């Protein structure tokens, strides 16, 4: 079954790097922002967020990394993709606390390409859930200037304190980001629901310790979340309300992208 009607307003392109070709859906004009979807895939509520990125004067690029593009979220679909991501996909370091996932290299190459294509001061990037921490690791690519980490869920913590405090980035990646934040007057945004077991308190404490005032934390209460089939988790998609704190968080992210990329 095809679900791609949800992407009918997007240009269906492809990008190849390191021997891997993936579909990338593109929309808008102006400086580039890469929207890296959450589990279980590039679903309609991720596309809704991407639409809003494009509507504020930016070119949005949505790579399809897993799942079926445009397919709505269901419990069974989400569980299938999560199990596949944990057990099979070698592009994701699900448990590692001190290194990023191999797929980050492909995303950095995409950022280089779209910066050349779209211009501006640089590229924005937002990761969500499994991909939430990727935007930080992408800071080793000079074109990336606006990283947003929405419910960064890797490494999966369970009851392991070390993984709970881990941020899925190497010492070199952390040092590079810290240096660029200082030298280029940059910063990052992290978003989560405070009760979210996939994003422990200790993880945000690590971001604060490593990046200080350059890390802008947006932490939300359960009552701020829109009802969905799972507990509060997806700040910019499943649990985004049309008003209130989650909507304010979305508006802050869009303003951040515009400012940092030079669209504002």
């Amino acid at each position: 079954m095809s679900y791609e009607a949800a992407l009918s307003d997007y240009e269906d392109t492809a990008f190849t790097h390191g021997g891997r070709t993936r579909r990338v859906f593109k929309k808008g004009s102006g400086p580039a922002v890469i929207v890296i979807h959450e589990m279980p895939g590039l679903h309609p509520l991720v596309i809704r967020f991407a639409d809003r990125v494009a509507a504020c004067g930016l070119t949005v690029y949505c790579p399809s990394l897993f799942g079926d593009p445009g397919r709505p979220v269901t419990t069974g679909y989400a569980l299938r993709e999560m199990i596949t991501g944990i057990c099979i996909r070698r592009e994701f370091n699900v448990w590692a606390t001190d290194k990023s996932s191999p797929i980050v290299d492909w995303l950095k190459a995409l950022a280089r390409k779209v910066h050349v294509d779209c211009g501006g001061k640089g590229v924005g990037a937002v990761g969500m859930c499994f991909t939430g921490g990727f935007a930080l690791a992408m800071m080793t690519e000079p074109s990336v200037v606006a990283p947003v980490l929405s419910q960064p869920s890797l490494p999966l913590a369970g009851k392991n304190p070390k993984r709970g405090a881990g941020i899925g980035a190497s010492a070199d990646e952390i040092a590079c980001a810290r240096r660029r934040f200082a030298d280029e007057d940059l910063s990052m945004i992290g978003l989560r629901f405070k009760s979210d077991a996939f994003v422990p308190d200790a993880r945000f404490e690590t971001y604060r310790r490593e990046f200080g005032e350059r890390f802008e934390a947006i932490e939300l209460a359960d009552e701020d979340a829109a009802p969905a089939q799972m507990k509060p988790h997806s700040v910019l998609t499943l649990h985004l309300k049309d008003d209130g704190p989650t909507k304010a968080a979305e508006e802050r992210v869009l303003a951040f992208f515009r400012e940092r990329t030079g669209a504002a």
Side-chain angles (χ1 to χ4, degrees):
M1 180 176 180
S2 175
Y3 300 94
E4 294 177 14
L7 288 155
S8 60
D9 291 339
Y10 286 71
E11 181 184 352
D12 187 352
T13 69
F15 178 69
T16 301
H17 175 75
R20 296 300 300 269
T21 300
R22 295 179 176 86
R23 296 172 75 184
V24 180
F25 296 88
K26 174 187 174 185
K27 181 178 181 179
S29 60
V33 170
I34 299 172
V35 173
I36 315 166
H37 62 76
E38 60 196 1
M39 286 289 175
L42 184 53
H43 62 75
L45 295 181
V46 176
I47 298 165
R48 179 186 67 180
F49 173 75
D51 287 343
R52 292 170 180 171
V53 173
C56 68
L58 295 157
T59 306
V60 64
Y61 291 83
C62 300
S64 180
L65 304 184
F66 44 80
D68 304 316
R71 182 174 180 172
V73 177
T74 63
T75 301
Y77 174 36
L79 287 174
R80 185 197 78 192
E81 287 300 321
M82 183 172 290
I83 291 168
T84 302
I86 291 172
C87 299
I88 298 174
R89 291 193 180 95
R90 297 179 180 179
E91 297 157 300
F92 296 88
N93 286 326
V94 175
W95 311 110
T97 61
D98 59 353
K99 59 181 177 179
S100 61
S101 293
I103 202 168
V104 169
D105 287 338
W106 185 91
L107 290 165
K108 290 192 296 185
L110 176 63
R112 285 194 297 274
K113 170 69 163 56
V114 302
H115 186 213
V116 171
D117 290 347
C118 298
K121 295 179 181 178
V123 175
V126 54
M128 305 174 179
C129 184
F130 255 46
T131 71
F134 292 178
L136 172 60
M138 289 171 70
M139 287 297 292
T140 57
E141 164 51 45
S143 66
V144 177
V145 296
V148 175
L149 288 59
S150 192
Q151 73 271 4
S153 303
L154 295 187
L156 294 180
K159 296 183 179 180
N160 185 303
K162 182 178 179 181
R163 290 203 300 267
I167 58 174
S170 70
D172 286 345
E173 288 166 336
I174 292 169
C176 178
R178 200 158 45 208
R179 182 172 59 252
R180 289 194 61 206
F181 289 158
D183 292 350
E184 301 173 41
D185 193 23
L186 301 176
S187 60
M188 62 190 263
I189 294 177
L191 308 101
R192 70 164 188 148
F193 288 97
K194 295 177 185 177
S195 69
D196 190 354
F198 287 107
V199 193
D201 293 348
R203 183 158 300 156
F204 265 44
E205 288 306 313
T206 299
Y207 291 131
R208 290 186 177 96
R209 183 180 67 252
E210 294 290 351
F211 303 109
E213 64 182 11
R214 301 290 178 170
F215 173 62
E216 179 182 344
I218 298 176
E219 299 176 279
L220 302 158
D222 283 4
E223 55 265 30
D224 299 329
Q229 60 263 55
M230 63 183 294
K231 294 179 180 179
H233 174 65
S234 298
V235 177
L236 299 172
T237 59
L238 293 175
H239 295 103
L240 175 68
K241 286 185 175 181
D242 290 334
D243 55 19
T246 55
K247 187 63 177 179
E250 180 195 55
E251 290 171 351
R252 171 63 187 128
V253 168
L254 296 177
F256 179 70
F257 284 149
R258 283 180 52 80
E259 175 189 355
R260 293 298 189 192
T261 64

